[in-house]
Amino acid sequence: MTEESGDEAARHRDKMAKRKAVQDAEVAAKTIEKGLLIVHTGPGKGKTTAALGLMLRALGRGWRVACVQFIKGGWDTGERRAVEVFGPQASWHTLGEGFTWETQDKARDIAACRHAWKRAEALMADPGIRLIVLDELNIALRYDYLDLEAVVATLRARRPDLHVVVTGRNAKPALIEAADLVTEMGSVKHHFAAGVKAQEGIEF
Ligand code: ATP
Ligand code: MG
C-alpha cells in the first residue's frame, strides 16, 4: 500500500465512522411502533405488486394476512395461487365484479363495493390478522361507491398493531391525510403503449 492510498483509506474510515454516528443517532431517535396505514397510488405499474410484496414479507414473519379486492373479478392470478400455498395464514377475498366498463351496471358495482367493504371491516376486527391489503379501494372511493368519511374514519380507528395497505390510482386527499406512508408510482414507460399485452407472471 502506498502512503497516499493509506491516507485515503484512513480518511474514508474517518468519514464512515462519522456517518455511522449520525445514522445510529437517527435510528435511536425513532422509537414509535405502530400499525401503518399505507397508500400506493399514481399512474405507474406497481401499486398492487408492492402491496403483494408487503404481504409476502408479513407471511415470512409468520403473520396472518388478508387481501380484499374491490374492483377485480375472480380471475385466476399468480398471486392468488401463491397465497393458497400458505393455507389459513392468508385469506383472499375477491369481491369485485370486474372493471366498471365491463360490468356496465352501476348499482351492481356499488353493491359489490359495499359488500367488499363489509368484509374488510370484519377482517380488520379480527385480532389475529396483522396486515390487510385493500386492493383498488381507491377506485371505489373515486367513483363515490363508498362513503369516504366513513371509510377514512374506520381506517383511522384501526387496531394500533394492524397494518393496512390501500391501492389504486387517484387516492383521495382525505385518505392521504390519514395515511402514514404514501407512495406514488410514476409511469416512465409501460409496455402496453408498445402493443405488448398483459404478461402472465408479470401482470397476473
Ligand atoms: P400491478 O398490479 O401490475 O402492480 P398496478 O396495481 O400498479 O399494477 P392498476 O391500476 O391496478 O396498476 O392496473 C392494473 C393493470 O394495468 C396491470 O396489468 C398493469 O400492468 C397495468 N398498468 C399499470 N400501469 C400502467 C400504465 N402506466 N400504462 C398501462 N398499463 C398500466
Ligand atoms: Mg392494482
Side-chain angles (χ1 to χ4, degrees):
M1 196 188 274
T2 64
E3 199 176 307
E4 214 171 293
S5 70
D7 281 357
E8 165 63 21
R11 266 201 305 277
H12 179 78
R13 223 174 12 251
D14 193 39
K15 196 167 142 193
M16 289 305 130
K18 282 190 185 123
R19 187 173 295 176
K20 181 168 159 48
V22 171
Q23 201 84 29
D24 287 352
E26 210 173 301
V27 170
K30 297 188 199 330
T31 53
I32 301 168
E33 257 186 75
K34 69 174 288 200
L36 300 171
L37 178 55
I38 302 172
V39 176
H40 296 165
T41 191
K45 174 178 166 67
K47 300 174 286 294
T48 300
T49 310
L52 294 169
L54 293 175
M55 241 178 125
L56 182 66
R57 192 171 272 167
L59 283 165
R61 290 289 170 194
W63 297 359
R64 268 181 63 214
V65 301
C67 176
V68 180
Q69 289 191 300
F70 278 79
I71 304 293
K72 291 185 184 137
W75 299 328
D76 173 29
T77 60
E79 52 266 41
R80 210 165 157 176
R81 289 187 189 194
V83 154
E84 270 168 24
V85 175
F86 289 89
Q89 206 192 328
S91 67
W92 198 267
H93 310 260
T94 317
L95 298 169
E97 300 267 6
F99 292 117
T100 46
W101 55 87
E102 271 168 10
T103 63
Q104 299 169 7
D105 183 341
K106 193 171 173 186
R108 212 174 93 184
D109 287 347
I110 292 173
C113 282
R114 297 212 169 131
H115 181 51
W117 177 247
K118 284 257 166 285
R119 182 69 61 88
E121 283 181 314
L123 290 163
M124 284 190 273
D126 180 340
I129 294 177
R130 292 284 300 274
L131 180 129
I132 300 181
V133 174
L134 303 176
D135 192 40
E136 308 284 12
L137 174 60
N138 285 339
I139 310 300
L141 293 171
R142 177 161 195 228
Y143 289 129
D144 293 321
Y145 287 177
L146 295 170
D147 182 57
L148 176 65
E149 252 180 63
V151 167
V152 170
T154 302
L155 291 174
R156 276 189 189 275
R158 73 192 179 283
R159 285 189 343 258
D161 64 340
L162 175 68
H163 300 293
V164 178
V165 190
V166 176
T167 81
R169 295 171 187 219
N170 303 106
K172 291 277 191 180
L175 178 64
I176 289 174
E177 170 74 34
D180 298 287
L181 172 62
V182 181
T183 301
E184 177 155 272
M185 273 64 179
S187 184
V188 176
K189 197 172 190 183
H190 198 289
H191 47 281
F192 278 20
V196 180
K197 66 178 204 172
Q199 299 293 298
E200 184 180 305
I202 299 295
E203 343 273 359
F204 61 91

